[in-house]
Amino acid sequence: MGRFDDMEKKELQVIKTIGENGEEISLKLLDIVTVNDFDYALLLPEDENLEEEECEVILMRLKQDTAEYVFETIEDDEEFNLVSQAILEEEGYEDTEEE
């Protein structure tokens, strides 16, 4: 059974954040994963559904700032690819990238 199986049936925590253009964005927290001692959040826009064939899952780094967590955009492509690959391997997905 994969990480996202039956996820829509669970009550997911909704996180509100500010987007690049200053607008408020609501995201559902799907999971938190640890790769190389860093925590990363898997998020889904509140208006999207995991049961759709194509949905946008957002991957962000978590940084603890005193008692709160701060979500940071992953700017480094190498870090993003490393975390993405670790998640896919954990879930048993094969690399489906076309040549």
Side-chain angles (χ1 to χ4, degrees):
M1 182 172 270
R3 175 185 314 279
F4 302 117
D5 294 344
D6 298 323
M7 192 66 75
E8 284 298 318
K9 296 175 185 171
K10 295 180 182 178
E11 186 69 30
L12 299 175
Q13 180 179 357
V14 175
I15 296 164
K16 296 193 185 285
T17 188
I18 304 299
E20 293 175 355
N21 299 323
E23 75 281 11
E24 184 175 84
I25 301 172
S26 295
L27 302 166
K28 294 184 270 188
L29 178 62
L30 299 175
D31 203 354
I32 296 175
V33 296
T34 302
V35 177
N36 292 342
D37 297 326
F38 292 99
D39 291 330
Y40 298 89
L42 295 165
L43 305 158
L44 182 72
E46 189 174 35
D47 59 347
E48 289 204 27
N49 186 332
L50 277 175
E51 294 174 3
E52 296 173 15
E53 189 165 316
E54 290 189 28
C55 62
E56 178 185 4
V57 175
I58 300 165
L59 178 61
M60 297 187 83
R61 185 184 318 109
L62 280 173
K63 180 179 175 186
Q64 192 162 9
D65 184 23
T66 61
E68 295 183 352
Y69 278 100
V70 176
F71 294 88
E72 297 179 337
T73 303
I74 302 171
E75 301 290 339
D76 180 36
D77 289 341
E78 187 175 323
E79 178 184 6
F80 182 87
N81 291 334
L82 176 74
V83 176
S84 297
Q85 190 62 39
I87 292 167
L88 292 175
E89 287 174 4
E90 180 180 317
E91 290 301 306
Y93 295 106
E94 294 183 21
D95 188 2
T96 57
E97 196 171 299
E98 293 182 19
E99 296 180 19

